[in-house]
Amino acid sequence: METKSDGFTKVTIIIISLLIAIFVIYPIARVVLVSLTPDGSFSLEEYRYIFSKSWLRGTFFNSIRLGVLVATIATIIGFIAAFSLYKVRLPLRGFFRQIVMLPIISPPFMLTISIILLMGRNGLITKKLLGITTFSIYGLDGLVIVQTLGMFPIAYRVLTGVLARISPELENAALNLGGDKGYVFRTVTFPLAIPGMASAWLLVFVTSVADFANPMVLAGNYDVLSVQAYLQFTGMYNLSRGSALAIMLLFPTLLAFIIEKYWVSKKSYVTVTGKPTGAKQDMVSPMTRKLLISFLVLLTVIIMLFYVTVIMGAFFKLWGVDYSLTLKHFVYAWDVGLESIKDTVILAGTSTPFTGLLGMIIAYLVVRKKFIGKNLLQFSSLLSFAVPGTVIGIGYVLAFNQRPFLLTGTATIIILNLIFRNMPVGIEAGVASLKQIDPSIEEASTDLGASSAYTFSKITLPLIKPAFFSGLSYSFVRGMTAVSAIIFLVSARWNHLTALILAETEIMRLGAASVLSLILIIIVMVVFYILGKLVGDDEEFAGMMN
Amino acid sequence: MSKTNTVVLKDITKIFASQREATKVVAVDEFNIEIKEGELVTLLGPSGCGKTTTLRMIAGFETPSSGQILFSGKDVSKVPPNKRDTAMVFQSYGLFPHMTVRANIGYGLRFKKLDKEKIKEETDKIMELVGLSGYGDRNPGELSGGQQQRVALARSLVIEPEVLLFDEPLSNLDAKLRENMRDEIRKLQKRLSITSVYVTHDQIEAMSISDRIVVMNKGKIEQVGCPEEIYYHPSNKFVADFIGKVNFIPGKVVGRKGESLDIEIEGSVINDVASTQYSKGKDELVVVLRPEAIEIKPKGEGRLAADVIRKTYLGSYIEYVLELKDKNVITVHQFNPLHKVSFSVGDEVNIDFAEKDLHLISE
Ligand SMILES: Nc1ncnc2c1ncn2[C@@H]1O[C@H](COP(=O)(O)OP(=O)(O)OP(=O)(O)O)[C@@H](O)[C@H]1O
Ligand SMILES: [Mg+2]
């Protein structure tokens, strides 16, 4: 139930709207503006130039092609994995579920380091095992492999949500009515999952097109928008061309995001069938089950191979040449990386609680309060999900390099960027859990005399604590692994670990890059564990809320 | 505590404008009532008739589109829900799952500027009263449905609100428990003499608990009255039909003698039907006759002839469905049927009733 807003709520809404206007909308507006005023006055010259040169024009289509390929393959893999793990009785389900989510918590281009170690010029597979030296992993193929592997968990997550919500009773009913298992899959399970697949596809597409770090290292001659925008902006100091390329990057991602939010997700009828439930009835034949198990095993082996490779990379002296064990990469990483590690933890750690709290407040306003401009607030707060980091990064540089917002080079700009980029994570988590809480719980509090601020802090917040902490964990991960926007904002004083790993990878110090990646993963896991412990005690009443 | 806790709703209208479609829903339409101190008034009506909306306007969760709400003579239309001295018992209870029973019950007292001691004292007293002593340290999740209901009730009672509001508080309980709780709520409400508004769509519940019943339909009041009035003297077909089983038989006025009428139904004239309304010739009337007011007699002994077309044994009574000469179908309840003459489907019978059991309404 939505209620009218009182004075306190109104002030909150105004403050939050202002923050979003300054830290989300304004930077993007600056990018648009700069791209349209190459010589200080309005003109479309920059876009005309980009479209007249085939090497620049090509980057656009390259990005799209990459996005389409990755989204398609990742959605298929994600669906098969989700279906196997939520609709089929399998051994080791819990183990597989963990493995499949692993890529989500890794630094974005760790898989790239791996693939270079495995199939690059000095690759373990290519050179050592097969003796090939002419093969090149750099380019579209390599990119598709690493992005698919890194991004299928996005599709998997969306689809598990959908599949788990298709009530087994529905499928049992269909079986009961005489359909065989294959028929039920084709006529019930699969059709119900189609909107979910569309969502998954679009989300992966957005992520792939917006990806910066993997193509930066692995694209070779396959130029994509995010990289080219960065090179133009930072390398050539061509601010307007960089901005124009960023805007071209913004178009497809924004479009995909809008289609997802306002069309596809409305088409989903799965949610009405009730609470998420596990498989009660096995939905496949024994033969299919064997195939699915083989598929999961293969997937697990590949993921493990990539991770083990990075671990090995950290300990071998000189990859491809000297496979003797050493700790020198650790020593080196310690020397160049300690400051960055500290910086990164401070930056991610500082931004995380703000991200979480802001996300929860916005979620609360959106779900429980009625006010003018609500849709706009909701849209713009989720916007930073859809806007590629490159655009935001450029936007922050353009927006905050002069008074009254002179922030470039400071920790503040990075923290603000992390907060507003990761805020949607907190919002989504908050919205989902608020919708589970019976509104009469909060109304009872108000009715008994509590103000809305009191109700929020004493009733709502404790009840959404589990979601709050999972939002926190996730935004911390994103803070630790962010790169595409951060790369524009790091400075000599404040560096980010991902920027350092990227730099080390580019100069082919893969051993050090591996070490730093591992350190990053370990920090993330430790924080996950601690936050998990903090939520642990609340399972009890979390069960009572639905 | 002696306040003159009256509640007055004056011309209350609530229109919901849905944002997507351009349609408007008139949820409550020109609603008027004065509720006296200590009185329990029930809002009764079919689903979607605006009961909850009315209640939520009293609590302050919804703002009336027009009209006034007065508590003890003061206009509270602008007062936010947390500053209104109301306490609502919700259908789903709305207990705070992360707080103990004691903390739940004491919650409203936190805003009354009482010290800890006093809060504990008051909470203990009320827990005793509703039979929750000993449960104080549990979480709501560890209570049965009926106990949760008691916590919700206690939490509202303890703040001694000006107005107590109930939105179908018993609908999540099983039949037996519902009856117990119903009687308990009524007992407590009377004892504490708290002005109350109670929403239900269960007519039996309404009958048993209320001082007065407001029968609503499509946002409008159809009738206000004490349970007997509503049952025996419904002012229109909707009310008569909504409350209990009822027979409608078309009739007309054929004569008037002072305060009584001669009515013709089914071709027979019934004399001495008390009524000050209606006059000869002009009005098409409907005669309201409750099933338990009719007696079935062997053919030739009663007022009207009828055929038995269905018979259902229902334990404490037998329900007969009869067809009268003019094809009007009526229901008759024969109570304590064990030693009475029983009739079978297909029998031709007569029915009889007392003039004073006839109630007249216009078509
Ligand atoms: N927030 C709202 N927005 C739009 N329409 C509403 C809203 N709340 C209620 N309505 C509409 O107002 C009418 C009255 O609703 P209300 O909840 O008061 O009914 P009710 O009598 O309590 O029904 P029930 O017995 O089913 O609880 C309904 O037609 C309902 O659809
Ligand atoms: Mg209702």
Side-chain angles (χ1 to χ4, degrees), chain A residues 1, chain B residues 16 25 27 45-54 62 168 199 201:
Chain A
M1 192 63 64
Chain B
F16 286 110
V25 181
S47 185
C49 72
K51 307 180 294 285
T52 299
T53 307
T54 309
E62 304 283 356
E168 312 209 17
V199 162
H201 60 249

Side-chain angles (χ1 to χ4, degrees), chain B residues 94-282:
Chain B
L95 299 180
F96 310 131
H98 57 308
M99 295 182 186
T100 61
V101 166
R102 178 181 298 284
N104 262 278
I105 295 176
Y107 190 81
L109 294 175
R110 298 183 192 178
F111 313 106
K112 299 252 173 202
K113 302 201 171 58
L114 298 177
D115 56 47
K116 282 232 165 67
E117 282 300 298
K118 184 76 182 151
I119 290 183
K120 183 170 179 330
E121 195 180 303
E122 295 281 316
T123 314
D124 282 341
K125 219 165 65 191
I126 208 80
M127 290 200 331
E128 172 90 50
L129 192 65
V130 299
L132 279 174
S133 307
Y135 291 96
D137 295 326
R138 295 207 193 173
N139 268 3
E142 303 162 334
L143 298 179
S144 72
Q147 289 163 337
Q148 292 184 14
Q149 171 66 67
R150 278 167 216 269
V151 177
L153 185 62
R155 185 177 67 178
S156 296
L157 288 176
V158 76
I159 62 169
E160 299 181 4
E162 235 177 308
V163 190
L164 200 50
L165 305 170
F166 298 89
D167 190 0
E168 312 209 17
L170 305 180
S171 57
N172 285 337
L173 302 178
D174 63 51
K176 191 88 195 131
L177 198 53
R178 198 169 340 169
E179 264 176 48
N180 290 343
M181 281 309 296
R182 181 182 82 197
D183 297 342
E184 231 167 283
I185 288 178
R186 179 57 166 164
K187 222 167 60 199
L188 284 168
Q189 184 269 339
K190 265 195 162 154
R191 176 157 153 204
L192 303 170
S193 184
I194 305 180
T195 312
S196 306
V197 184
Y198 191 103
V199 162
T200 180
H201 60 249
D202 179 340
Q203 35 135 343
I204 310 265
E205 200 172 301
M207 291 280 174
S208 57
I209 207 169
S210 320
D211 291 308
R212 278 193 297 159
I213 297 175
V214 178
V215 183
M216 295 179 66
N217 183 26
K218 297 184 184 147
K220 285 199 163 68
I221 296 184
E222 293 281 350
Q223 188 174 0
V224 183
C226 68
E228 291 82 359
E229 256 169 66
I230 300 277
Y231 190 76
Y232 291 117
H233 302 288
S235 58
N236 56 45
K237 260 182 141 171
F238 177 85
V239 176
D241 204 20
F242 193 74
I243 312 280
K245 277 229 164 159
V246 71
N247 296 303
F248 295 126
I249 308 167
K252 30 180 206 276
V253 182
V254 292
R256 169 175 286 287
K257 297 184 200 88
E259 300 223 328
S260 62
L261 296 174
D262 299 330
I263 306 288
E264 186 191 310
I265 49 175
E266 290 273 323
S268 309
V269 174
I270 317 286
N271 304 116
D272 280 339
V273 180
S275 172
T276 51
Q277 285 175 291
Y278 313 112
S279 57
K280 187 183 158 181
K282 160 164 162 268

Side-chain angles (χ1 to χ4, degrees), chain A residues 15 29 45 99 104 129 148 247 266 272 384 448 466:
Chain A
I15 293 175
E45 180 53 31
I99 290 291
I104 283 213
L129 297 182
T148 303
I247 294 302
K266 294 272 181 313
V272 298
S384 46
L448 292 167

Side-chain angles (χ1 to χ4, degrees), chain A residues 358-371:
Chain A
L358 199 60
M360 283 302 149
I361 294 173
I362 294 178
Y364 179 72
L365 294 176
V366 163
V367 176
R368 292 281 200 254
K369 296 286 170 183
K370 234 188 287 187
F371 56 92

Side-chain angles (χ1 to χ4, degrees), chain A residues 91-118:
Chain A
L92 296 176
R93 246 200 328 214
F95 168 74
F96 284 130
R97 286 182 189 174
Q98 301 245 319
I99 290 291
V100 160
M101 290 303 285
L102 206 52
I104 283 213
I105 60 160
S106 353
F109 46 94
M110 196 172 114
L111 299 172
T112 287
I113 298 174
S114 249
I115 207 170
I116 295 174
L117 292 174
L118 287 170

